[in-house]
């Protein structure tokens, strides 16, 4: 029961934030206007300049918060942020409810208009739900795997940012306000308000195969379904209350302060309205577009007005700059902002009914002016099917959820295809840890563990010299390859204690580790020595596993890439043909035997760097075919994540190679 309450609270809180973020994103200009009202009321007028940025920020923030809470990710952080937000907004909405400085809070934009008291109680419910969630955080459900969620998060945020962009650059993708195509402006502005009366009904008449049918605005058929627009029919009802429940009072005045609303809206022909809530801030690009439309309207005998805020200075400045000859009418700024979100924008009326509205760049002026309005689509109602648009928004938001798995599948296919050419290898480095008997027993144990198993990588064990020959024998008939941990830089002679590459090869061993950091550190091995060793190994048919890697200090001071590049120079003395026989192992010295592992991202970064360096030195094909192993506290627990990186082709394993039980899971990490 408790768990159910928690999940319901999670859906409620997450869902509410998602919705409020989304509607703000759909109409960012409306959100910015609302924010301007707020900041001005609270004496923070200087913030009004930033209102658009704030609107975007608020929309994206609320939506992101909604996503995190809804999907139960990073619970502690985002529930705390949600709580903080509610602790700010709840007292604020109480203040709004008590003193009514703004009509409605704008929580859900113009989509769902709540009274200030309704908003306050809504916030109380949300606050209680968030507090509940914080107390019962462990029961908050996490719906998606981390990677899946991360993918979805970015995809959904992209959709929301795109909506913000469309809403800012054009008009809102869904218009929540009353001034929509098909609505009678005449009735909205001139109808007498009447309590309890139904508002007007607008029907659009379409024809198909000789049959005419009337559709309500919200259920208009698709153009490609064969229905053709014929006409509109309006069943007028008195009252100027519109779909948003508010009373709208568009009153138009002329320069002499005469109310000309009836005169303008009674025009039975076409009327062009150039709308600008404020000419001072209107976009002055596309002036030609306005001029051409004006000329066209004059030529065709249509009325053309610019409806704006009564600011004589701004009007005369505009007229001077643009050479405007049209008539200016004045209206309430907020009402103009409700009519159109762009500044300026166009609205075309016919017989008092809004046919369409658009920002300037949304109008194809040459097409519009090429024919009589009555003979083309610009002269008809251009209805916007809002249900369809709501559907599309949900489709865009939901579809990435289902895209993740197929995309990941394709990604893996491509990644594995790229990896196919080079060998996957898990090699053990026993170091100085095993006696002859222990080494043979370990090799036999490994052979037994691998017997009959499907092994998806090459398995190698590099042993102390003393056991190489015996281990080669012990693993005969298995998939295991054997190597030494070093070889001499000389081919033969008076080098007491040394073992030459041809001696290693004579045991049947196939590999040799060269340049391990412990040899570099304790035996002073440098590039000059290593070049000799490489040549010895290759001349005797051994495959070098050549180690490179930085010490802690070099990682910390950021020189590690230069250090690694410097160590690679020894390899770069080889011909392309010889280089192609080498296996590279990246072993950050600070991670060897310390229990510290490079993160898979850190390791991948260096592996990619090494591969790019090889490509530069030789060519992309050789780089693609070179196996690069990771070494340094690699274990069964971290191997899968490391090996999943595109440039990590396996591991060189120290400590964990000394027991069959710890070595096997690393081999099995190659699924
Ligand atoms: P480690 O050693 O796995 O014990 O860290 C790796 C190596 O030195 O090759």
């Amino acid at each position: 029961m408790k768990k159910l309450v928690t999940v319901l609270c999670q859906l409620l809180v997450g869902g509410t934030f998602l919705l409020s973020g989304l509607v703000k994103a759909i109409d960012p200009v409306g959100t910015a206007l609302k924010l301007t009202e707020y900041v001005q009321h609270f004496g923070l007028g200087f913030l009004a300049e930033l209102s658009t940025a704030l609107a975007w920020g608020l929309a994206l923030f609320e939506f992101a918060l909604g996503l995190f809470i809804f999907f139960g990710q990073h619970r502690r952080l985002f529930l705390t942020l949600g709580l903080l937000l509610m602790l700010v907004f709840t007292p604020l909405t109480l203040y709004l409810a008590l003193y009514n400085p703004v009509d409605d809070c704008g929580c859900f934009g113009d989509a769902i208009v709540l009274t200030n008291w309704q908003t306050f109680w809504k916030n109380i419910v949300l606050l209680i739900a968030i507090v509940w969630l914080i107390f019962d955080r462990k029961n908050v459900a996490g719906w998606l795997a981390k990677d899946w969620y991360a993918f979805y998060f970015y995809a959904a945020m992209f959709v929301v940012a795109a909506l913000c962009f469309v809403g800012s650059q054009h008009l809102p993708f869904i218009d929540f306000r009353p001034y929509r195509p098909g609505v009678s402006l005449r009735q909205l502005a001139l109808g007498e308000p009447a309590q309890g009366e139904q508002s007007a009904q607008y029907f659009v008449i379409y024809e198909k195969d000789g049959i005419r049918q009337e559709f309500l605005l919200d259920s208009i058929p698709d153009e490609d379904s064969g229905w053709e627009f014929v006409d509109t029919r309006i069943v007028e009802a008195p009252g100027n209350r519109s779909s948003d429940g508010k009373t709208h009072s568009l009153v138009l005045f002329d320069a002499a302060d005469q109310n000309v609303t009836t005169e303008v809206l009674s025009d039975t022909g076409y009327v062009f309205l150039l709308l600008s809530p404020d000419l001072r801030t209107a976009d002055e690009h596309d002036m030609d577009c306005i001029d051409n439309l004006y000329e066209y309207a004059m030529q065709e005998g249509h009325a053309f007005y610019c409806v704006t805020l009564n600011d004589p200075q701004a009007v005369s400045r505009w007229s001077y700059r643009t050479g405007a000859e049209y008539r200016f009418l004045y209206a309430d700024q907020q009402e103009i902002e409700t009519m159109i979100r762009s500044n300026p924008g166009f609205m075309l009326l016919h017989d008092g009914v809004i046919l369409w509205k658009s920002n300037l760049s949304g109008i194809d002026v040459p097409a519009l002016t090429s024919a009589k309005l009555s003979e083309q689509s610009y002269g008809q109602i251009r209805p916007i099917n809002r249900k369809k648009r709501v559907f599309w928004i949900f489709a865009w938001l939901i579809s990435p959820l289902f895209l993740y798995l197929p995309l990941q599948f394709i990604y893996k296919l491509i990644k594995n295809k790229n990896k196919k050419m080079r060998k996957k290898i898990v090699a053990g480095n026993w170091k100085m840890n095993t006696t002859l008997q222990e080494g043979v027993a370990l090799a036999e144990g490994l052979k037994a563990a691998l017997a009959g198993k499907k092994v998806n990588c090459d398995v190698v064990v590099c042993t102390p010299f003393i056991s190489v020959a015996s281990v080669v024998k012990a693993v005969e008939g298995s998939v295991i390859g054997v190597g030494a941990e070093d070889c001499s830089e000389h081919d033969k002679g008076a080098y007491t204690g040394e073992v030459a590459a041809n001696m290693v090869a004579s045991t049947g061993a196939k590999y040799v580790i060269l340049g391990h950091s412990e040899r570099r550190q304790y035996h002073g091995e440098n590039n000059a020595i290593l070049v000799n060793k490489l040549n010895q190994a290759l001349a005797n048919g051994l495959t070098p596993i050549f180690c490179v890697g930085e010490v802690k200090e070099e990682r910390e001071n950021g020189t590690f890439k230069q250090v690694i590049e410097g160590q690679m120079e020894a390899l770069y003395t080889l011909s392309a043909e010889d280089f192609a026989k080498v296996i590279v192992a990246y072993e950050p010295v600070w991670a060897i035997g310390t229990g510290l592992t490079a993160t898979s991202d850190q390791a991948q970064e260096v592996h990619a760097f090494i591969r790019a360096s090889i490509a530069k030195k030789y060519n992309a094909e050789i780089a693609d075919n070179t196996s690069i192993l990771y070494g340094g506290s690699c274990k069964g627990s971290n191997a899968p994540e490391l090996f999943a990186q595109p440039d990590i082709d396996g591991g060189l394993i120290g400590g964990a190679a000394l027991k069959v039980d710890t070595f096997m899971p690393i081999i099995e990490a190659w699924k």
Side-chain angles (χ1 to χ4, degrees):
M1 180 62 191
K2 193 169 159 213
K3 195 162 178 196
L4 181 70
V5 175
T6 302
V7 172
L8 287 178
C9 284
Q10 178 183 358
L11 298 183
L12 175 76
V13 176
T16 310
F17 279 125
L18 285 175
L19 184 66
S20 66
L22 186 62
V23 290
K24 286 187 180 83
I26 290 175
D27 186 9
V29 179
T31 308
L33 291 171
K34 200 59 169 182
L35 289 174
T36 310
E37 256 183 78
Y38 275 115
V39 292
Q40 271 161 358
H41 176 78
F42 289 105
L44 303 168
F46 63 96
L47 283 177
E49 293 275 306
L50 296 174
S51 59
T52 307
L54 288 175
W56 276 61
L58 191 62
L60 290 169
F61 176 68
E62 284 191 14
F63 194 82
L65 197 62
L67 279 177
F68 279 104
I69 296 177
F70 194 90
F71 287 100
Q73 307 282 333
H74 298 291
R75 293 158 217 192
R76 185 198 292 258
L77 175 66
F78 285 94
L79 285 172
T80 314
L81 282 176
L83 180 68
L84 288 179
L85 199 70
M86 292 320 296
L87 286 177
V88 173
F89 279 120
T90 314
L92 182 73
T93 47
L94 178 63
Y95 172 83
L96 296 184
L98 289 173
Y99 301 105
N100 270 323
V102 293
D103 290 352
D104 66 84
C105 74
C107 299
F108 299 112
D110 287 320
I112 305 170
V113 180
L114 299 179
T115 65
N116 286 340
W117 277 114
Q118 283 169 337
T119 305
F120 171 70
W121 290 117
K122 176 209 79 180
N123 283 350
I124 292 286
V125 172
L126 282 184
L127 192 60
I128 295 172
I130 291 192
V131 172
W132 174 282
L133 288 174
I134 289 178
F135 278 109
D136 195 27
R137 208 179 55 229
K138 65 176 188 320
N139 273 330
V140 171
W143 309 111
L144 290 181
K146 214 166 114 215
D147 284 358
W148 192 342
Y149 174 74
F151 169 82
Y152 179 65
F153 176 80
Y154 290 116
M157 291 305 284
F158 176 79
V159 171
V160 175
L163 285 171
C164 275
F165 181 78
V166 170
S168 302
Q169 298 295 314
H170 304 277
L171 293 182
F173 187 67
I174 300 176
D175 195 347
F176 298 118
R177 290 145 313 140
Y179 295 106
R180 283 192 286 273
V183 166
S184 166
L185 196 56
R186 184 188 300 157
Q187 199 241 325
L188 213 54
L190 302 176
E192 296 301 316
Q195 213 59 46
E197 288 280 358
Q198 261 208 318
S199 53
Q201 288 271 50
Y202 306 96
F203 295 99
V204 190
I205 304 165
Y206 280 77
E207 187 171 328
K208 184 179 173 181
D209 305 327
I211 301 168
R212 284 189 174 202
Q213 197 173 320
E214 291 191 344
F215 293 89
L216 278 169
L217 278 178
D218 276 343
S219 51
I220 287 163
D222 261 348
E223 265 173 30
D224 42 14
S225 66
W227 286 98
E228 276 193 16
F229 173 85
V230 183
D231 204 350
T232 53
R233 188 169 74 87
I234 301 165
V235 181
E236 298 238 0
N240 60 355
R241 258 134 45 83
S242 64
S243 57
D244 63 354
K246 288 191 198 165
T247 305
H248 285 276
S249 48
L250 176 67
V251 186
L252 301 169
F253 292 98
D254 66 5
D257 247 359
Q258 294 297 312
N259 183 337
V260 291
T261 322
T262 313
E263 177 202 327
V264 171
L265 298 183
S266 301
D267 192 323
T268 52
Y270 289 101
V271 176
F272 283 86
L273 297 181
L274 170 64
L275 300 164
S276 168
D278 187 351
L279 282 177
R280 281 173 310 166
T281 52
D283 187 353
E284 290 188 12
H285 292 97
D286 289 333
M287 276 308 119
D288 291 351
C289 160
I290 300 177
D291 288 347
N292 292 345
L293 287 175
Y294 174 67
E295 265 170 39
Y296 169 79
M298 292 303 100
Q299 203 178 308
E300 298 290 323
H302 305 317
F304 188 112
Y305 306 101
C306 174
V307 179
T308 184
L309 166 74
N310 192 353
D311 177 347
Q313 245 185 342
V315 170
S316 51
R317 188 170 165 272
W318 175 268
S319 307
Y320 174 73
R321 289 174 70 97
T322 64
E325 290 171 21
Y326 34 82
R327 202 171 148 200
F328 286 88
L329 302 177
Y330 306 108
D332 175 57
Q333 187 174 23
Q334 220 183 332
E335 211 53 44
I336 306 173
E337 278 162 351
T338 313
M339 289 168 77
I340 199 140
R341 288 303 196 210
S342 58
N343 183 19
F346 260 104
M347 190 179 260
L348 184 66
L349 309 180
H350 183 249
D351 202 8
V353 173
I354 301 171
L355 298 185
W356 49 262
K357 60 183 180 179
S358 173
N359 56 333
L360 297 191
S361 59
I363 305 172
D364 184 351
V365 179
L368 190 156
T369 51
S370 65
K372 284 193 173 312
L373 278 174
S374 54
E375 288 161 10
Q376 54 160 315
S377 68
Y378 273 112
Q380 321 296 337
I381 293 182
R382 302 188 130 203
I384 291 166
N385 190 333
R386 292 204 300 162
K387 275 192 189 149
K388 208 161 150 188
R389 292 201 167 188
V390 171
F391 167 82
W392 276 116
I393 290 185
F394 279 99
W396 291 329
L397 282 175
I398 290 170
S399 54
L401 266 184
F402 301 100
L403 271 180
Y404 177 74
L405 289 182
L407 283 181
Q408 199 201 31
F409 180 73
I410 295 169
Y411 171 73
K412 278 205 168 145
L413 272 186
I414 296 171
K415 200 176 81 176
N416 287 343
K417 201 171 150 227
N418 284 346
K419 271 193 164 185
K420 207 176 64 194
M421 294 298 287
R422 51 185 185 258
K423 282 186 170 160
K424 301 167 193 163
I425 301 161
V426 173
N429 172 13
W430 292 358
K431 306 193 180 180
M432 200 176 75
N433 287 306
T434 46
T435 62
L436 174 63
Q437 291 75 17
E438 285 165 350
V440 169
L442 178 56
E444 283 170 346
L446 188 63
K447 178 178 172 183
L450 288 170
K453 281 230 166 82
K454 186 171 175 287
V455 183
N456 298 316
C457 62
D458 287 3
V459 179
V460 177
V461 290
C462 296
T463 84
F465 290 128
I466 192 79
S467 21
V468 177
S470 312
V471 169
V472 168
K473 265 214 182 71
V475 299
E476 235 166 45
S478 78
V479 294
I480 305 168
V482 181
E485 296 170 14
D486 183 33
C487 71
S488 170
E489 63 173 311
H490 306 289
D491 58 350
K492 66 186 291 185
Y495 300 101
T496 307
E498 288 282 87
V499 177
N502 75 334
M503 299 177 188
V504 174
S506 69
T507 64
K510 297 274 179 270
Y511 299 85
V512 61
I513 298 176
L514 292 179
H516 191 279
S517 62
E518 286 146 20
R519 295 216 55 91
R520 290 178 191 262
Q521 191 182 349
Y522 308 129
H523 303 274
E525 289 192 2
N526 55 26
N527 277 6
I529 297 174
L530 287 169
V531 169
N532 294 339
K533 290 194 175 193
L534 279 167
N535 287 320
Q536 286 299 327
L538 289 164
N540 288 286
L542 295 175
T543 300
I545 302 176
F546 188 83
C547 303
V548 295
E550 79 283 4
V551 297
K552 192 155 179 262
E553 199 191 346
E554 291 154 350
R555 160 77 37 184
E556 283 168 357
N557 67 21
T559 55
F560 59 99
K561 287 190 181 162
Q562 282 117 284
V563 171
I564 292 165
E565 184 95 62
Q567 294 167 338
M568 291 294 289
E569 287 299 327
L571 284 177
Y572 293 157
T573 57
L574 301 178
S575 66
E577 196 189 333
D578 274 346
F579 183 89
K581 297 173 187 158
V582 174
I583 297 165
V584 179
Y586 166 58
E587 298 205 317
V589 181
W590 47 272
I592 296 177
T594 57
L596 294 174
T597 330
T599 64
S600 50
D601 287 344
Q602 282 173 326
Q604 164 59 24
E605 184 196 358
V606 177
H607 281 233
F609 167 75
I610 294 173
R611 200 176 302 287
S613 158
I614 299 170
K616 217 160 53 192
K617 194 73 202 168
Y618 297 97
N619 59 47
E621 196 190 339
I622 291 187
D624 269 349
N625 293 343
T626 304
S627 297
I628 308 177
L629 314 184
Y630 169 80
S633 299
C634 181
K635 303 182 277 281
S637 55
N638 54 27
E641 194 183 333
L642 286 161
F643 296 176
Q645 300 303 314
D647 287 295
I648 301 183
D649 307 307
L652 179 56
I653 319 297
L658 293 173
K659 282 199 186 115
V660 176
D661 287 354
T662 48
F663 197 43
M664 279 301 289
I666 304 177
I667 297 169
E668 283 162 354
W670 284 118
K671 289 236 166 30

